[in-house]
Amino acid sequence: MNRSHNFSAGPAVLPFEVLQKAQEELLDYRGTGSSLIELSHRGPEYTEVDLGAREKLKQILGLGDDFEIYFLQGGASTQFSMVPYNFLSGDEQADYILTGSWSKKAFKEAKLFGQANNAFSSEDSNFNRIPTDAELKLAPEARYVHFTSNNTIFGTQFRKEPETAGVPLVCDASSDFLSRPLDIKRYGVLYAGAQKNAGPAGVTIVIIRKDFLATAKTEGVPTILSYATHTGTMFNTPPVFAVYIFNLVLDWLIANGGLEAMDKHNQEKAAILYDEIDRDDFYRGTVLKDSRSLMNVTFRLPSEDLEKEFLAGAKEHRLSGLKGHRSVGGMRASIYNACPKLSVQALVDYMADFRKRKG
Amino acid sequence: MNRSHNFSAGPAVLPFEVLQKAQEELLDYRGTGSSLIELSHRGPEYTEVDLGAREKLKQILGLGDDFEIYFLQGGASTQFSMVPYNFLSGDEQADYILTGSWSKKAFKEAKLFGQANNAFSSEDSNFNRIPTDAELKLAPEARYVHFTSNNTIFGTQFRKEPETAGVPLVCDASSDFLSRPLDIKRYGVLYAGAQKNAGPAGVTIVIIRKDFLATAKTEGVPTILSYATHTGTMFNTPPVFAVYIFNLVLDWLIANGGLEAMDKHNQEKAAILYDEIDRDDFYRGTVLKDSRSLMNVTFRLPSEDLEKEFLAGAKEHRLSGLKGHRSVGGMRASIYNACPKLSVQALVDYMADFRKRKG
């Protein structure tokens, strides 16, 4: 088959080996005579998948027993409410760092539950940058500081975690989770929809530090929205297929060197692409250089007409998913873990050729 | 391949043609060079799946434009909270008919939001029956009457909707949705986790009558939990693979005659199985005859030792998923739409042989 160069922002490219394995096992899961998606989630086959994914995630992130791991449903959008439902009430405060559409949505939900503070916003400049630590207005008594580690739409990314003087971080890591090492001890909650680096849409990975979890509300929270409900048990039927693919992606990640190797690989790919953008003024990055994302590379061309032409030509070269989000316009190349360097090279070749012809 | 006779209560057997189609398309979705689970949910490929599933569901259920359809995440367990979050507050009342573990869970969540009434409970007799209309204690001013149309664990099923004197029905139809025709006009809300008759785990189908939706709360509800959020739009990334399989199951359902044909097929299968149970006293149904489920057939053997032996032997005959829920014990054969008559026949043959040897 002729595999496309897929730059979709999410759902996004998966390791081809993972898809092949899933295809191989789809009709008859390891001799059971059934597909895994036809088997009880309490049976031995899915239990092995679930426990396997947890163990591998612990290994990859260096997680000790001081963290809980949950495989939930409903995406980051559900976590926007679930976090403050569990951790914020009445006159308690939480600081929100606003670096894009998703953090704004999280901020809005928090206001329903307690006092959510705007600790920083780059909305005035169309979210084209990440704050420095000095710019953050943090409340020392905040229950947590919420940030979005990578902004899929705008193409910015925190280089490192914000400094919060010991206040636990709560992070929407949907679009750079598992793309690089992180200092997990600093997080009270890290949540991520799987559909970027981790798997297909349908499962949300939530990691919570136990001592932070111990401070969660226990009264008045709907059962399904209380994190404690999910501790040590499958409370309800999990999204079997999504967790299964996630587990295969973790196998692939370990076989390919873990987070250090991913980080190196991602830095190399991003460098190739940003170098091409910066070569002259034909292409133009949309965000400040020190805020650039290694996951979502956003850029414009000299005119909207040329952008249309660029996209049409890209399609002919089997380069797909390059159209930017409507709130930014232009191009966006999402180059998550499973995006091969080959695809980035193909894109850069096309960009160079397009510039030569049109520049 | 040697396909097993799969009686799992859910996730459950799917039409083999559906699995074959999914396997065929898993690596390269219709010439795109990507898997569907790698493509944007806003792109043309997934949009076609989403719209297709909605159209087919309308056709199958005879739904007019007076209903909204949502494909959500989080299972029926999330709907337990979402329904009262939207439709119950303060001193408003809702009636709950308690016919099993799931209705009890729904009842518990409703109490967080308003006045939930126990309209009937068969818990005293371990949920072995469905109420008659005369037994229901309904409040005329109730916002809705909630019931669980089929009780997966206990093996009971409503023959028809309860009479509620015009009060809208809210139904957890997870385990018999799409297994028979229903009088959808009587429902304010019908919700169903897909993993029984409709598809794999990971998507919840919710159908709401628009005039009932118009009475929903609009203030103070977390965005993701407000039904209105999902009207006419994909608010967040849907569980692509689960909806894709659901769409293929709908194709299969239409090609096989729709709900009337499914009902006939399901009645025939259940009759074969209940006839074998009722042949003499060796097997014993666990629920009252007029409350028996066509989906989940629960029965006991003369002793727990014989039950263990029965299960071990069943495995050798590739009859799987027959162990009853721990709260009932014994056996449970789930015979959803996609369970072929061939499998039921294989089970009955085994049962007859086992009785001959041990009875």
Side-chain angles (χ1 to χ4, degrees), chain A residues 95-130:
Chain A
D95 289 329
Y96 278 72
I97 303 175
L98 307 180
T99 53
S101 312
W102 301 112
S103 24
K104 270 181 73 181
K105 288 188 181 190
F107 183 49
K108 180 186 163 209
E109 298 307 310
K111 286 181 186 168
L112 279 178
F113 298 93
Q115 189 184 323
N117 307 319
N118 175 344
F120 169 85
S121 172
S122 51
E123 187 164 18
D124 283 353
S125 55
N126 203 27
F127 295 119
N128 72 340
R129 69 186 189 90
I130 294 298

Side-chain angles (χ1 to χ4, degrees), chain A residues 1-4 6 8 10-16 19-20 22-24 26-28 31-41 73-75 77-78 81 85 105 108-109 112-113 195 200-203 220-225 235-241 245 318 320 326, chain B residues 1-4 6 8 10-16 19-20 22-24 26-28 31-42 73-75 77-78 81 85 105 108-109 112-113 195 200-203 220-225 235-241 245 318 320:
Chain A
M1 65 167 290
N2 190 357
R3 190 144 162 88
S4 85
N6 180 358
S8 174
V13 62
L14 291 165
F16 193 58
L19 293 172
Q20 283 177 310
Q23 187 187 45
E24 212 179 283
L26 193 64
L27 295 189
D28 182 5
T32 56
S34 293
S35 180
L36 181 66
I37 60 175
E38 298 178 300
L39 295 176
S40 169
H41 56 293
Q73 294 183 61
S77 296
T78 299
S81 303
Y85 224 139
K105 288 188 181 190
K108 180 186 163 209
E109 298 307 310
L112 279 178
F113 298 93
Q195 67 270 16
V203 61
V221 184
T223 307
I224 192 87
L225 296 180
F235 175 68
N236 64 339
T237 314
V240 168
F241 183 79
I245 299 289
R318 293 186 79 72
S320 71
R326 59 191 178 280
Chain B
M1 66 165 289
N2 189 358
R3 189 142 162 88
S4 83
N6 180 357
S8 174
V13 62
L14 291 165
F16 194 57
L19 292 171
Q20 282 177 311
Q23 186 188 46
E24 212 180 282
L26 193 64
L27 295 189
D28 182 5
T32 56
S34 292
S35 181
L36 181 65
I37 60 174
E38 298 178 299
L39 296 175
S40 169
H41 56 293
R42 313 248 176 227
Q73 295 183 59
S77 296
T78 298
S81 303
Y85 223 139
K105 287 188 182 189
K108 179 187 163 206
E109 297 309 308
L112 279 178
F113 298 92
Q195 66 271 17
V203 60
V221 185
T223 306
I224 192 86
L225 295 181
F235 174 68
N236 65 336
T237 314
V240 168
F241 182 79
I245 298 287
R318 291 185 80 75
S320 72

Side-chain angles (χ1 to χ4, degrees), chain B residues 51-105:
Chain B
L51 295 178
R54 286 167 198 278
E55 274 316 304
K56 288 164 207 169
L57 197 56
K58 281 184 171 181
Q59 178 192 332
I60 289 167
L61 294 174
L63 282 181
D65 286 336
D66 40 347
F67 285 88
E68 297 289 352
I69 297 171
Y70 307 116
F71 300 148
L72 304 181
Q73 295 183 59
S77 296
T78 298
Q79 296 305 307
F80 296 165
S81 303
M82 205 159 157
V83 164
Y85 223 139
N86 283 261
F87 293 108
L88 196 62
S89 52
D91 54 5
E92 289 179 340
Q93 295 181 51
D95 289 330
Y96 277 72
I97 302 175
L98 308 180
T99 54
S101 312
W102 301 112
S103 23
K104 270 181 72 181
K105 287 188 182 189

Side-chain angles (χ1 to χ4, degrees), chain A residues 17-253:
Chain A
E17 302 91 305
V18 166
L19 293 172
Q20 283 177 310
K21 178 86 172 166
Q23 187 187 45
E24 212 179 283
E25 298 186 326
L26 193 64
L27 295 189
D28 182 5
Y29 188 73
R30 305 185 183 184
T32 56
S34 293
S35 180
L36 181 66
I37 60 175
E38 298 178 300
L39 295 176
S40 169
H41 56 293
R42 312 251 176 224
E45 296 82 11
Y46 181 73
T47 301
E48 188 188 13
V49 167
D50 177 273
L51 295 178
R54 287 168 198 277
E55 274 315 305
K56 288 164 206 168
L57 196 56
K58 280 184 171 183
Q59 177 192 334
I60 288 166
L61 293 174
L63 280 182
D65 285 337
D66 41 347
F67 285 88
E68 296 289 351
I69 299 171
Y70 307 117
F71 301 147
L72 304 180
Q73 294 183 61
S77 296
T78 299
Q79 296 306 308
F80 296 166
S81 303
M82 204 159 157
V83 163
Y85 224 139
N86 282 263
F87 292 108
L88 196 62
S89 52
D91 54 5
E92 289 179 340
Q93 295 182 51
D95 289 329
Y96 278 72
I97 303 175
L98 307 180
T99 53
S101 312
W102 301 112
S103 24
K104 270 181 73 181
K105 288 188 181 190
F107 183 49
K108 180 186 163 209
E109 298 307 310
K111 286 181 186 168
L112 279 178
F113 298 93
Q115 189 184 323
N117 307 319
N118 175 344
F120 169 85
S121 172
S122 51
E123 187 164 18
D124 283 353
S125 55
N126 203 27
F127 295 119
N128 72 340
R129 69 186 189 90
I130 294 298
T132 61
D133 286 329
E135 290 177 290
L136 300 176
K137 279 186 290 189
L138 300 179
E141 62 277 38
R143 293 275 282 126
Y144 59 84
V145 176
H146 183 282
F147 75 113
T148 312
S149 51
N150 183 77
N151 298 280
T152 327
I153 293 176
F154 297 95
T156 62
Q157 185 179 24
F158 280 81
R159 282 282 162 279
K160 57 167 199 57
E161 289 86 0
E163 288 303 326
T164 59
V167 176
L169 292 169
V170 173
C171 179
D172 176 0
S174 293
S175 56
D176 65 0
F177 182 54
L178 300 182
S179 74
R180 59 180 180 179
L182 46 78
D183 188 6
I184 192 70
K185 288 185 304 299
R186 297 197 47 211
Y187 293 76
V189 182
L190 179 147
Y191 60 89
Q195 67 270 16
K196 316 289 181 178
N197 287 296
V203 61
T204 317
I205 296 105
V206 181
I207 299 170
I208 304 196
R209 219 176 57 205
K210 286 185 186 171
D211 60 356
F212 188 57
L213 180 62
T215 70
K217 268 179 278 180
T218 51
E219 298 280 308
V221 184
T223 307
I224 192 87
L225 296 180
S226 169
Y227 289 114
T229 298
H230 305 280
T231 300
T233 182
M234 275 187 271
F235 175 68
N236 64 339
T237 314
V240 168
F241 183 79
V243 177
Y244 163 67
I245 299 289
F246 173 53
N247 184 45
L248 294 180
V249 169
L250 294 178
D251 284 334
W252 174 86
L253 211 151

Side-chain angles (χ1 to χ4, degrees), chain B residues 202-253:
Chain B
V203 60
T204 316
I205 296 105
V206 181
I207 299 171
I208 304 197
R209 219 175 61 204
K210 286 183 186 171
D211 61 356
F212 187 57
L213 180 61
T215 70
K217 269 178 279 181
T218 51
E219 297 281 306
V221 185
T223 306
I224 192 86
L225 295 181
S226 170
Y227 289 114
T229 297
H230 305 279
T231 299
T233 182
M234 273 186 274
F235 174 68
N236 65 336
T237 314
V240 168
F241 182 79
V243 178
Y244 162 68
I245 298 287
F246 173 54
N247 184 44
L248 294 180
V249 169
L250 294 177
D251 284 334
W252 173 86
L253 210 152

